[in-house]
Amino acid sequence: MTAVEIFMWWLDLDLASKEWLRENLRADEIPVPVLQGIAEAGGPRPADVSVVLSAADWDFIETQSEFVD
């Protein structure tokens, strides 16, 4: 299965989830509501929730995502 690139679902992610991800960069554990938000926005839905976001996804969140959503 091909991974869904973050830029394809980031704009559809709810604001609360975006804020949590920005405030908790590279967190080892992501809360269930944020995981659900990612899945609902069209992002990854892996069985192993510890690998929902790749290093490249975290880089995007840190450097490319805009705080004005």
Side-chain angles (χ1 to χ4, degrees):
M1 176 180 244
T2 305
V4 178
E5 298 290 333
I6 190 170
F7 63 85
M8 296 178 71
W9 55 265
W10 180 260
L11 291 176
D12 295 325
L13 184 61
D14 63 279
L15 186 56
S17 294
K18 287 180 182 179
E19 288 176 349
W20 190 93
L21 291 167
R22 289 177 181 131
E23 292 170 2
N24 297 278
L25 279 173
R26 303 185 198 291
D28 291 331
E29 293 185 24
I30 299 173
V32 171
V34 177
L35 292 172
Q36 289 172 333
I38 291 170
E40 290 171 6
R45 301 170 194 184
D48 181 2
V49 296
S50 66
V51 294
V52 169
L53 299 175
S54 67
D57 292 337
W58 286 115
D59 290 345
F60 174 90
I61 293 166
E62 183 176 19
T63 63
Q64 300 298 317
S65 69
E66 296 183 17
F67 285 86
V68 180
D69 291 313

